[in-house]
Amino acid sequence: MTFTRLNDRQLDALKEISNIGMGHAATALSQLIGETVHLRVPKVTVTDIARVPDLLGGAEKVVAGITLRILGDARGDILLIFPRDSARLLLSRLLGQAGTGAEMDEMGASTLKEVGNILASAYLSALGSLLHMTLIPSIPMLAHDMAGAVVDYVLIELSMRGDMALMVETEFHGDNPREEAIKGHFFLLPDHRSLDIILDAVGGGA
Amino acid sequence: MSGRERVGISEFRVARAPVVLVTYGLGSCLGIALYDPDSRLGGLAHTLLPRSRPDIVETRQTKFVDRSIHLMVEELLRLGGEKERITARIVGGANMFEPLHGSATVGIGERNAQTARLTLQSLGIELLAEDVGGAHGRTVEFDLASGDVRVRTVSRPASDLVL
């Protein structure tokens, strides 16, 4: 399966499974931060790998990026991107006073990784039970840097087999009325072979 | 700003002064700048992988370090550059995350840089300077008028490194 040959039914299937997975992840996040987390309708984008940084808001934009490999019956990457301000808000919400200015320290870093782990685990376990697969997240990795630099290792991995990337993106945001909303983007980037496996399992195989 | 040309991932561009070639957000990717100071011709590449392989001929050749260097040199010569005058600088090749067990991308940044060094050596092109490795992203601005290669990072926003 090449990413460019997906039909509408397959794209819908990907959106739907991602919506369900992300629904579970959002529930986990809303319990963590104590407010409702809203989800946008997922977007499935098939694009040249060169365009991915632009789709993340620009290659130079500073973000907190948490990334996890998907292990088990299908392979791929999960990428959780928080704009810098949202990462700060999230930390101050989770850690209270200690979270102020914690963005770069060890406590802040391990908190953000843990958030990544919780969201990815919720997402993958929902996906796994839907598709009758075992999907396990790797240990999370974190970088505070330019979006382009944070994602390029995922692009390098994809570029070993082609020039295209398939991204399933869900935007989410909190709704605390007294504060600026925490925003983030959750990306699923299945590798080329795993896309077949996922589509077969969902009944949308070619 | 006029005269700025952006080089995307897996692309290269060759131009003449007063153009400024820019590429954003290099992580493990490697930026390669080639310059002929006399003709003020230069090229900048944003590469992803070390070497082209015979079994992946169908993909874009400009994503590979070795192919990009060869193609940029050809293009510089075609535009009137002289091979003896061309020099190189390389930027990027970082390792953004702690190494992940079993991943094929472990050490890819360093392998990209090493491939560039060897390819340049085989072509007899002098590597003037490099800013590679570490765990941070880099943006490169290559001013073809002065020949300066400026490296910008998030942790060092005020003071660009000039190679």
mmCIF file of all heavy atoms in Angstrom, chain A residues 48-50 53-54 59-60 62 67 69 113 141-143 145-146 148-150 152-153 155-157 159 162-163, chain B residues 6 9 24-29 48-49 56 59-60 63 96-98 100 103 105 108 136-137 139 152-154:
data_model
loop_
_atom_site.group_PDB
_atom_site.id
_atom_site.type_symbol
_atom_site.label_atom_id
_atom_site.label_comp_id
_atom_site.label_asym_id
_atom_site.label_seq_id
_atom_site.Cartn_x
_atom_site.Cartn_y
_atom_site.Cartn_z
ATOM 1 N N ASP A 48 3.937 14.999 1.180
ATOM 2 C CA ASP A 48 5.372 14.880 1.007
ATOM 3 C C ASP A 48 6.015 15.106 2.373
ATOM 4 O O ASP A 48 5.620 16.021 3.101
ATOM 5 C CB ASP A 48 5.817 15.964 0.020
ATOM 6 C CG ASP A 48 7.243 15.749 -0.450
ATOM 7 O OD1 ASP A 48 8.150 15.734 0.405
ATOM 8 O OD2 ASP A 48 7.440 15.606 -1.665
ATOM 9 N N ILE A 49 7.003 14.303 2.709
ATOM 10 C CA ILE A 49 7.639 14.464 4.022
ATOM 11 C C ILE A 49 8.217 15.871 4.210
ATOM 12 O O ILE A 49 8.284 16.373 5.313
ATOM 13 C CB ILE A 49 8.745 13.411 4.299
ATOM 14 C CG1 ILE A 49 9.719 13.331 3.137
ATOM 15 C CG2 ILE A 49 8.184 12.067 4.622
ATOM 16 C CD1 ILE A 49 10.916 12.451 3.445
ATOM 17 N N ALA A 50 8.594 16.501 3.120
ATOM 18 C CA ALA A 50 9.173 17.844 3.210
ATOM 19 C C ALA A 50 8.171 18.853 3.758
ATOM 20 O O ALA A 50 8.545 19.882 4.303
ATOM 21 C CB ALA A 50 9.662 18.294 1.833
ATOM 22 N N PRO A 53 6.914 19.603 8.543
ATOM 23 C CA PRO A 53 7.154 20.685 9.523
ATOM 24 C C PRO A 53 6.191 21.867 9.372
ATOM 25 O O PRO A 53 5.771 22.455 10.374
ATOM 26 C CB PRO A 53 8.597 21.102 9.238
ATOM 27 C CG PRO A 53 9.231 19.894 8.658
ATOM 28 C CD PRO A 53 8.156 19.240 7.827
ATOM 29 N N ASP A 54 5.830 22.202 8.135
ATOM 30 C CA ASP A 54 4.868 23.290 7.931
ATOM 31 C C ASP A 54 3.511 22.941 8.523
ATOM 32 O O ASP A 54 2.828 23.793 9.086
ATOM 33 C CB ASP A 54 4.698 23.592 6.437
ATOM 34 C CG ASP A 54 5.900 24.338 5.878
ATOM 35 O OD1 ASP A 54 6.614 24.984 6.677
ATOM 36 O OD2 ASP A 54 6.123 24.267 4.666
ATOM 37 N N ALA A 59 8.715 25.018 10.672
ATOM 38 C CA ALA A 59 9.896 24.270 11.099
ATOM 39 C C ALA A 59 10.619 24.934 12.264
ATOM 40 O O ALA A 59 11.269 24.281 13.066
ATOM 41 C CB ALA A 59 10.860 24.108 9.923
ATOM 42 N N GLU A 60 10.501 26.259 12.394
ATOM 43 C CA GLU A 60 11.283 26.956 13.413
ATOM 44 C C GLU A 60 10.508 27.225 14.697
ATOM 45 O O GLU A 60 11.067 27.708 15.669
ATOM 46 C CB GLU A 60 11.798 28.281 12.849
ATOM 47 C CG GLU A 60 13.275 28.240 12.541
ATOM 48 C CD GLU A 60 13.912 29.598 12.507
ATOM 49 O OE1 GLU A 60 13.256 30.550 12.021
ATOM 50 O OE2 GLU A 60 15.060 29.712 12.955
ATOM 51 N N VAL A 62 9.016 26.968 18.177
ATOM 52 C CA VAL A 62 9.521 26.213 19.328
ATOM 53 C C VAL A 62 8.376 25.448 19.988
ATOM 54 O O VAL A 62 7.348 26.032 20.336
ATOM 55 C CB VAL A 62 10.197 27.141 20.347
ATOM 56 C CG1 VAL A 62 10.714 26.340 21.541
ATOM 57 C CG2 VAL A 62 11.358 27.879 19.689
ATOM 58 N N THR A 67 7.664 12.088 21.800
ATOM 59 C CA THR A 67 7.488 11.087 20.771
ATOM 60 C C THR A 67 7.655 9.687 21.339
ATOM 61 O O THR A 67 8.439 9.464 22.268
ATOM 62 C CB THR A 67 8.421 11.343 19.559
ATOM 63 O OG1 THR A 67 8.664 10.128 18.881
ATOM 64 C CG2 THR A 67 9.735 11.933 19.970
ATOM 65 N N ARG A 69 7.580 5.437 19.982
ATOM 66 C CA ARG A 69 7.453 4.435 18.924
ATOM 67 C C ARG A 69 6.280 3.540 19.288
ATOM 68 O O ARG A 69 6.041 3.257 20.464
ATOM 69 C CB ARG A 69 8.709 3.561 18.845
ATOM 70 C CG ARG A 69 9.916 4.237 18.278
ATOM 71 C CD ARG A 69 9.846 4.398 16.775
ATOM 72 N NE ARG A 69 9.924 3.145 16.041
ATOM 73 C CZ ARG A 69 9.415 2.978 14.825
ATOM 74 N NH1 ARG A 69 8.754 3.955 14.234
ATOM 75 N NH2 ARG A 69 9.542 1.831 14.194
ATOM 76 N N LYS A 113 6.812 13.882 29.739
ATOM 77 C CA LYS A 113 6.944 12.525 29.197
ATOM 78 C C LYS A 113 5.843 11.626 29.719
ATOM 79 O O LYS A 113 5.296 10.799 28.995
ATOM 80 C CB LYS A 113 8.301 11.926 29.587
ATOM 81 C CG LYS A 113 9.455 12.450 28.776
ATOM 82 C CD LYS A 113 10.683 11.618 29.113
ATOM 83 C CE LYS A 113 11.939 12.458 29.048
ATOM 84 N NZ LYS A 113 13.102 11.735 29.552
ATOM 85 N N MET A 141 10.068 10.024 24.592
ATOM 86 C CA MET A 141 11.233 10.895 24.503
ATOM 87 C C MET A 141 10.745 12.326 24.314
ATOM 88 O O MET A 141 9.698 12.560 23.715
ATOM 89 C CB MET A 141 12.098 10.478 23.328
ATOM 90 C CG MET A 141 12.609 9.056 23.471
ATOM 91 S SD MET A 141 13.648 8.574 22.096
ATOM 92 C CE MET A 141 12.471 8.497 20.772
ATOM 93 N N LEU A 142 11.510 13.245 24.840
ATOM 94 C CA LEU A 142 11.059 14.633 24.842
ATOM 95 C C LEU A 142 12.143 15.557 24.311
ATOM 96 O O LEU A 142 13.324 15.372 24.597
ATOM 97 C CB LEU A 142 10.729 15.039 26.289
ATOM 98 C CG LEU A 142 10.504 16.527 26.553
ATOM 99 C CD1 LEU A 142 9.118 16.956 26.094
ATOM 100 C CD2 LEU A 142 10.677 16.841 28.036
ATOM 101 N N ALA A 143 11.729 16.539 23.541
ATOM 102 C CA ALA A 143 12.664 17.596 23.153
ATOM 103 C C ALA A 143 11.924 18.923 23.125
ATOM 104 O O ALA A 143 10.774 19.001 22.680
ATOM 105 C CB ALA A 143 13.267 17.295 21.783
ATOM 106 N N ASP A 145 12.338 22.132 21.277
ATOM 107 C CA ASP A 145 13.187 22.693 20.220
ATOM 108 C C ASP A 145 12.319 23.108 19.037
ATOM 109 O O ASP A 145 11.090 23.113 19.122
ATOM 110 C CB ASP A 145 14.237 21.660 19.800
ATOM 111 C CG ASP A 145 15.565 22.312 19.420
ATOM 112 O OD1 ASP A 145 15.545 23.221 18.576
ATOM 113 O OD2 ASP A 145 16.592 21.911 19.979
ATOM 114 N N MET A 146 12.995 23.441 17.940
ATOM 115 C CA MET A 146 12.289 23.799 16.723
ATOM 116 C C MET A 146 11.493 22.582 16.242
ATOM 117 O O MET A 146 12.004 21.456 16.239
ATOM 118 C CB MET A 146 13.292 24.156 15.635
ATOM 119 C CG MET A 146 14.273 25.242 16.020
ATOM 120 S SD MET A 146 15.565 25.327 14.746
ATOM 121 C CE MET A 146 16.607 26.609 15.448
ATOM 122 N N GLY A 148 10.770 21.515 13.401
ATOM 123 C CA GLY A 148 11.440 20.779 12.324
ATOM 124 C C GLY A 148 12.456 19.790 12.873
ATOM 125 O O GLY A 148 12.537 18.644 12.432
ATOM 126 N N ALA A 149 13.219 20.242 13.856
ATOM 127 C CA ALA A 149 14.257 19.389 14.427
ATOM 128 C C ALA A 149 13.654 18.265 15.266
ATOM 129 O O ALA A 149 14.188 17.162 15.323
ATOM 130 C CB ALA A 149 15.211 20.222 15.282
ATOM 131 N N VAL A 150 12.512 18.563 15.912
ATOM 132 C CA VAL A 150 11.856 17.555 16.750
ATOM 133 C C VAL A 150 11.295 16.410 15.912
ATOM 134 O O VAL A 150 11.321 15.257 16.321
ATOM 135 C CB VAL A 150 10.743 18.214 17.606
ATOM 136 C CG1 VAL A 150 9.868 17.176 18.282
ATOM 137 C CG2 VAL A 150 11.354 19.149 18.644
ATOM 138 N N ASP A 152 12.278 15.522 12.720
ATOM 139 C CA ASP A 152 12.988 15.003 11.553
ATOM 140 C C ASP A 152 13.430 13.553 11.691
ATOM 141 O O ASP A 152 13.560 12.865 10.704
ATOM 142 C CB ASP A 152 14.055 15.964 11.009
ATOM 143 C CG ASP A 152 15.355 16.013 11.781
ATOM 144 O OD1 ASP A 152 15.467 15.314 12.799
ATOM 145 O OD2 ASP A 152 16.257 16.753 11.348
ATOM 146 N N TYR A 153 13.550 13.070 12.929
ATOM 147 C CA TYR A 153 13.931 11.654 13.014
ATOM 148 C C TYR A 153 12.788 10.748 12.544
ATOM 149 O O TYR A 153 13.008 9.683 11.983
ATOM 150 C CB TYR A 153 14.409 11.308 14.434
ATOM 151 C CG TYR A 153 13.396 10.618 15.291
ATOM 152 C CD1 TYR A 153 13.423 9.234 15.479
ATOM 153 C CD2 TYR A 153 12.369 11.352 15.876
ATOM 154 C CE1 TYR A 153 12.470 8.605 16.240
ATOM 155 C CE2 TYR A 153 11.421 10.719 16.641
ATOM 156 C CZ TYR A 153 11.469 9.342 16.822
ATOM 157 O OH TYR A 153 10.507 8.721 17.568
ATOM 158 N N LEU A 155 10.728 11.634 10.178
ATOM 159 C CA LEU A 155 10.770 11.776 8.718
ATOM 160 C C LEU A 155 11.899 10.945 8.121
ATOM 161 O O LEU A 155 11.758 10.362 7.049
ATOM 162 C CB LEU A 155 10.942 13.257 8.335
ATOM 163 C CG LEU A 155 9.873 14.180 8.900
ATOM 164 C CD1 LEU A 155 10.112 15.611 8.436
ATOM 165 C CD2 LEU A 155 8.480 13.718 8.484
ATOM 166 N N ILE A 156 13.028 10.899 8.841
ATOM 167 C CA ILE A 156 14.166 10.099 8.373
ATOM 168 C C ILE A 156 13.741 8.633 8.276
ATOM 169 O O ILE A 156 14.001 7.958 7.291
ATOM 170 C CB ILE A 156 15.373 10.280 9.313
ATOM 171 C CG1 ILE A 156 16.022 11.646 9.053
ATOM 172 C CG2 ILE A 156 16.388 9.161 9.138
ATOM 173 C CD1 ILE A 156 17.069 12.048 10.073
ATOM 174 N N GLU A 157 13.038 8.172 9.316
ATOM 175 C CA GLU A 157 12.598 6.788 9.310
ATOM 176 C C GLU A 157 11.658 6.513 8.131
ATOM 177 O O GLU A 157 11.786 5.515 7.435
ATOM 178 C CB GLU A 157 11.898 6.499 10.632
ATOM 179 C CG GLU A 157 11.872 5.056 10.974
ATOM 180 C CD GLU A 157 12.112 4.868 12.466
ATOM 181 O OE1 GLU A 157 13.264 5.005 12.902
ATOM 182 O OE2 GLU A 157 11.143 4.593 13.175
ATOM 183 N N SER A 159 11.489 8.209 5.391
ATOM 184 C CA SER A 159 12.138 8.446 4.103
ATOM 185 C C SER A 159 12.979 7.256 3.657
ATOM 186 O O SER A 159 13.383 7.184 2.507
ATOM 187 C CB SER A 159 13.003 9.707 4.162
ATOM 188 O OG SER A 159 14.158 9.467 4.927
ATOM 189 N N GLY A 162 10.292 5.802 1.304
ATOM 190 C CA GLY A 162 9.540 6.578 0.322
ATOM 191 C C GLY A 162 9.676 8.050 0.602
ATOM 192 O O GLY A 162 10.510 8.460 1.412
ATOM 193 N N ASP A 163 8.876 8.839 -0.061
ATOM 194 C CA ASP A 163 8.965 10.285 0.106
ATOM 195 C C ASP A 163 7.694 10.877 0.714
ATOM 196 O O ASP A 163 7.537 12.088 0.790
ATOM 197 C CB ASP A 163 9.226 10.969 -1.246
ATOM 198 C CG ASP A 163 10.572 10.564 -1.823
ATOM 199 O OD1 ASP A 163 11.520 10.412 -1.023
ATOM 200 O OD2 ASP A 163 10.660 10.391 -3.035
ATOM 201 N N ARG B 6 14.364 29.645 0.373
ATOM 202 C CA ARG B 6 14.233 28.594 1.363
ATOM 203 C C ARG B 6 14.555 27.226 0.755
ATOM 204 O O ARG B 6 14.104 26.901 -0.341
ATOM 205 C CB ARG B 6 12.797 28.595 1.885
ATOM 206 C CG ARG B 6 12.561 27.536 2.901
ATOM 207 C CD ARG B 6 11.165 27.626 3.455
ATOM 208 N NE ARG B 6 10.898 26.401 4.198
ATOM 209 C CZ ARG B 6 9.767 26.153 4.820
ATOM 210 N NH1 ARG B 6 8.802 27.032 4.790
ATOM 211 N NH2 ARG B 6 9.600 25.034 5.462
ATOM 212 N N ILE B 9 13.174 20.330 3.220
ATOM 213 C CA ILE B 9 13.728 19.002 3.526
ATOM 214 C C ILE B 9 13.848 18.187 2.244
ATOM 215 O O ILE B 9 12.936 18.181 1.426
ATOM 216 C CB ILE B 9 12.801 18.278 4.526
ATOM 217 C CG1 ILE B 9 12.791 19.026 5.845
ATOM 218 C CG2 ILE B 9 13.224 16.833 4.730
ATOM 219 C CD1 ILE B 9 11.770 18.484 6.823
ATOM 220 N N TYR B 24 15.508 25.566 7.619
ATOM 221 C CA TYR B 24 15.029 25.667 8.998
ATOM 222 C C TYR B 24 14.983 24.329 9.707
ATOM 223 O O TYR B 24 14.634 23.313 9.113
ATOM 224 C CB TYR B 24 13.606 26.247 9.010
ATOM 225 C CG TYR B 24 13.510 27.635 8.459
ATOM 226 C CD1 TYR B 24 13.013 27.848 7.181
ATOM 227 C CD2 TYR B 24 13.926 28.727 9.213
ATOM 228 C CE1 TYR B 24 12.926 29.132 6.667
ATOM 229 C CE2 TYR B 24 13.841 30.009 8.708
ATOM 230 C CZ TYR B 24 13.344 30.207 7.434
ATOM 231 O OH TYR B 24 13.266 31.474 6.919
ATOM 232 N N GLY B 25 15.284 24.373 11.003
ATOM 233 C CA GLY B 25 14.972 23.238 11.873
ATOM 234 C C GLY B 25 15.669 21.941 11.539
ATOM 235 O O GLY B 25 15.020 20.910 11.449
ATOM 236 N N LEU B 26 16.989 21.972 11.379
ATOM 237 C CA LEU B 26 17.729 20.723 11.188
ATOM 238 C C LEU B 26 17.858 20.024 12.536
ATOM 239 O O LEU B 26 18.279 20.635 13.512
ATOM 240 C CB LEU B 26 19.146 21.020 10.683
ATOM 241 C CG LEU B 26 19.343 21.581 9.280
ATOM 242 C CD1 LEU B 26 20.701 22.262 9.199
ATOM 243 C CD2 LEU B 26 19.227 20.486 8.242
ATOM 244 N N GLY B 27 17.472 18.760 12.599
ATOM 245 C CA GLY B 27 17.713 17.968 13.798
ATOM 246 C C GLY B 27 18.812 16.977 13.467
ATOM 247 O O GLY B 27 19.983 17.333 13.400
ATOM 248 N N SER B 28 18.411 15.728 13.209
ATOM 249 C CA SER B 28 19.388 14.736 12.750
ATOM 250 C C SER B 28 19.733 14.945 11.285
ATOM 251 O O SER B 28 20.704 14.391 10.782
ATOM 252 C CB SER B 28 18.828 13.330 12.903
ATOM 253 O OG SER B 28 18.482 13.080 14.240
ATOM 254 N N CYS B 29 18.898 15.705 10.595
ATOM 255 C CA CYS B 29 19.179 16.032 9.197
ATOM 256 C C CYS B 29 20.481 16.813 9.116
ATOM 257 O O CYS B 29 20.905 17.447 10.080
ATOM 258 C CB CYS B 29 18.052 16.866 8.601
ATOM 259 S SG CYS B 29 16.551 15.927 8.273
ATOM 260 N N LEU B 48 18.476 14.003 4.561
ATOM 261 C CA LEU B 48 17.901 13.147 5.600
ATOM 262 C C LEU B 48 18.729 11.897 5.895
ATOM 263 O O LEU B 48 18.804 11.469 7.037
ATOM 264 C CB LEU B 48 16.515 12.660 5.162
ATOM 265 C CG LEU B 48 15.381 13.663 5.072
ATOM 266 C CD1 LEU B 48 14.420 13.245 3.991
ATOM 267 C CD2 LEU B 48 14.659 13.763 6.389
ATOM 268 N N LEU B 49 19.259 11.299 4.853
ATOM 269 C CA LEU B 49 19.870 9.972 4.987
ATOM 270 C C LEU B 49 21.283 9.968 4.415
ATOM 271 O O LEU B 49 21.568 10.727 3.484
ATOM 272 C CB LEU B 49 19.036 8.936 4.215
ATOM 273 C CG LEU B 49 17.651 8.620 4.758
ATOM 274 C CD1 LEU B 49 16.858 7.831 3.732
ATOM 275 C CD2 LEU B 49 17.755 7.822 6.054
ATOM 276 N N ILE B 56 16.567 1.588 -3.696
ATOM 277 C CA ILE B 56 15.549 2.631 -3.542
ATOM 278 C C ILE B 56 15.770 3.752 -4.563
ATOM 279 O O ILE B 56 15.728 4.929 -4.247
ATOM 280 C CB ILE B 56 15.463 3.200 -2.099
ATOM 281 C CG1 ILE B 56 16.836 3.334 -1.463
ATOM 282 C CG2 ILE B 56 14.541 2.375 -1.241
ATOM 283 C CD1 ILE B 56 16.780 3.941 -0.060
ATOM 284 N N THR B 59 13.101 6.792 -5.385
ATOM 285 C CA THR B 59 12.841 7.955 -4.553
ATOM 286 C C THR B 59 13.769 9.108 -4.918
ATOM 287 O O THR B 59 14.698 8.968 -5.689
ATOM 288 C CB THR B 59 13.007 7.642 -3.055
ATOM 289 O OG1 THR B 59 14.387 7.353 -2.825
ATOM 290 C CG2 THR B 59 12.159 6.474 -2.622
ATOM 291 N N ARG B 60 13.481 10.219 -4.324
ATOM 292 C CA ARG B 60 14.209 11.449 -4.583
ATOM 293 C C ARG B 60 15.683 11.319 -4.154
ATOM 294 O O ARG B 60 15.967 11.003 -3.008
ATOM 295 C CB ARG B 60 13.534 12.533 -3.733
ATOM 296 C CG ARG B 60 13.759 13.913 -4.200
ATOM 297 C CD ARG B 60 12.971 14.849 -3.319
ATOM 298 N NE ARG B 60 11.531 14.635 -3.454
ATOM 299 C CZ ARG B 60 10.673 14.770 -2.444
ATOM 300 N NH1 ARG B 60 11.075 15.096 -1.247
ATOM 301 N NH2 ARG B 60 9.398 14.571 -2.644
ATOM 302 N N LYS B 63 17.550 13.520 -1.098
ATOM 303 C CA LYS B 63 17.453 13.330 0.349
ATOM 304 C C LYS B 63 18.715 12.691 0.913
ATOM 305 O O LYS B 63 18.879 12.609 2.123
ATOM 306 C CB LYS B 63 16.208 12.522 0.709
ATOM 307 C CG LYS B 63 16.224 11.076 0.317
ATOM 308 C CD LYS B 63 14.867 10.468 0.673
ATOM 309 C CE LYS B 63 14.723 9.068 0.113
ATOM 310 N NZ LYS B 63 13.334 8.624 0.130
ATOM 311 N N MET B 96 18.466 14.209 18.661
ATOM 312 C CA MET B 96 17.503 15.009 19.412
ATOM 313 C C MET B 96 17.006 14.331 20.675
ATOM 314 O O MET B 96 16.587 14.983 21.618
ATOM 315 C CB MET B 96 16.299 15.359 18.537
ATOM 316 C CG MET B 96 16.633 16.206 17.318
ATOM 317 S SD MET B 96 17.369 17.792 17.759
ATOM 318 C CE MET B 96 16.010 18.561 18.631
ATOM 319 N N PHE B 97 16.970 13.009 20.655
ATOM 320 C CA PHE B 97 16.400 12.279 21.786
ATOM 321 C C PHE B 97 17.429 11.294 22.309
ATOM 322 O O PHE B 97 18.330 10.899 21.592
ATOM 323 C CB PHE B 97 15.154 11.516 21.348
ATOM 324 C CG PHE B 97 14.104 12.392 20.741
ATOM 325 C CD1 PHE B 97 13.994 12.509 19.363
ATOM 326 C CD2 PHE B 97 13.247 13.122 21.545
ATOM 327 C CE1 PHE B 97 13.031 13.329 18.802
ATOM 328 C CE2 PHE B 97 12.283 13.935 20.992
ATOM 329 C CZ PHE B 97 12.174 14.042 19.619
ATOM 330 N N GLU B 98 17.266 10.891 23.543
ATOM 331 C CA GLU B 98 18.126 9.840 24.050
ATOM 332 C C GLU B 98 17.988 8.651 23.112
ATOM 333 O O GLU B 98 16.901 8.389 22.615
ATOM 334 C CB GLU B 98 17.708 9.366 25.451
ATOM 335 C CG GLU B 98 17.246 10.342 26.462
ATOM 336 C CD GLU B 98 15.774 10.652 26.455
ATOM 337 O OE1 GLU B 98 15.319 11.351 25.536
ATOM 338 O OE2 GLU B 98 15.106 10.221 27.390
ATOM 339 N N LEU B 100 17.138 5.415 21.412
ATOM 340 C CA LEU B 100 16.039 4.482 21.658
ATOM 341 C C LEU B 100 16.475 3.103 21.200
ATOM 342 O O LEU B 100 16.899 2.912 20.081
ATOM 343 C CB LEU B 100 14.804 4.925 20.881
ATOM 344 C CG LEU B 100 13.572 4.062 21.004
ATOM 345 C CD1 LEU B 100 13.108 4.007 22.446
ATOM 346 C CD2 LEU B 100 12.469 4.629 20.137
ATOM 347 N N SER B 103 16.109 1.184 17.510
ATOM 348 C CA SER B 103 15.645 2.027 16.425
ATOM 349 C C SER B 103 16.731 2.186 15.371
ATOM 350 O O SER B 103 17.909 2.339 15.681
ATOM 351 C CB SER B 103 15.249 3.403 16.961
ATOM 352 O OG SER B 103 15.103 4.306 15.895
ATOM 353 N N THR B 105 17.191 4.631 13.647
ATOM 354 C CA THR B 105 17.632 6.011 13.530
ATOM 355 C C THR B 105 18.670 6.385 14.581
ATOM 356 O O THR B 105 19.130 7.506 14.611
ATOM 357 C CB THR B 105 16.438 6.975 13.631
ATOM 358 O OG1 THR B 105 15.714 6.665 14.793
ATOM 359 C CG2 THR B 105 15.564 6.893 12.419
ATOM 360 N N ILE B 108 21.873 8.296 13.499
ATOM 361 C CA ILE B 108 21.732 8.690 12.091
ATOM 362 C C ILE B 108 22.373 10.055 11.846
ATOM 363 O O ILE B 108 22.954 10.284 10.787
ATOM 364 C CB ILE B 108 20.242 8.666 11.654
ATOM 365 C CG1 ILE B 108 20.108 8.792 10.140
ATOM 366 C CG2 ILE B 108 19.438 9.788 12.299
ATOM 367 C CD1 ILE B 108 20.117 7.490 9.419
ATOM 368 N N HIS B 136 20.359 19.456 19.852
ATOM 369 C CA HIS B 136 19.504 20.608 19.583
ATOM 370 C C HIS B 136 19.353 20.860 18.087
ATOM 371 O O HIS B 136 20.183 20.442 17.285
ATOM 372 C CB HIS B 136 20.060 21.865 20.270
ATOM 373 C CG HIS B 136 21.466 22.184 19.871
ATOM 374 N ND1 HIS B 136 22.540 21.603 20.485
ATOM 375 C CD2 HIS B 136 21.962 22.998 18.919
ATOM 376 C CE1 HIS B 136 23.659 22.053 19.935
ATOM 377 N NE2 HIS B 136 23.337 22.897 18.976
ATOM 378 N N GLY B 137 18.266 21.551 17.760
ATOM 379 C CA GLY B 137 17.979 21.871 16.371
ATOM 380 C C GLY B 137 18.755 23.098 15.911
ATOM 381 O O GLY B 137 19.192 23.907 16.732
ATOM 382 N N THR B 139 19.035 26.176 12.642
ATOM 383 C CA THR B 139 18.615 26.809 11.398
ATOM 384 C C THR B 139 19.846 27.438 10.754
ATOM 385 O O THR B 139 20.684 28.017 11.449
ATOM 386 C CB THR B 139 17.533 27.872 11.692
ATOM 387 O OG1 THR B 139 16.300 27.191 11.935
ATOM 388 C CG2 THR B 139 17.351 28.823 10.525
ATOM 389 N N ARG B 152 21.628 29.245 13.770
ATOM 390 C CA ARG B 152 20.764 29.741 14.834
ATOM 391 C C ARG B 152 20.202 28.557 15.613
ATOM 392 O O ARG B 152 19.824 27.547 15.023
ATOM 393 C CB ARG B 152 19.622 30.527 14.196
ATOM 394 C CG ARG B 152 18.869 31.417 15.124
ATOM 395 C CD ARG B 152 18.155 32.514 14.362
ATOM 396 N NE ARG B 152 17.126 32.001 13.488
ATOM 397 C CZ ARG B 152 16.947 32.399 12.234
ATOM 398 N NH1 ARG B 152 17.738 33.295 11.694
ATOM 399 N NH2 ARG B 152 15.983 31.898 11.507
ATOM 400 N N THR B 153 20.160 28.689 16.939
ATOM 401 C CA THR B 153 19.553 27.634 17.748
ATOM 402 C C THR B 153 18.584 28.254 18.745
ATOM 403 O O THR B 153 18.611 29.463 18.981
ATOM 404 C CB THR B 153 20.615 26.850 18.557
ATOM 405 O OG1 THR B 153 21.224 27.756 19.479
ATOM 406 C CG2 THR B 153 21.682 26.265 17.667
ATOM 407 N N VAL B 154 17.729 27.422 19.321
ATOM 408 C CA VAL B 154 16.753 27.914 20.291
ATOM 409 C C VAL B 154 17.439 28.338 21.593
ATOM 410 O O VAL B 154 17.093 29.341 22.205
ATOM 411 C CB VAL B 154 15.694 26.830 20.581
ATOM 412 C CG1 VAL B 154 14.806 27.228 21.736
ATOM 413 C CG2 VAL B 154 14.858 26.573 19.349
#
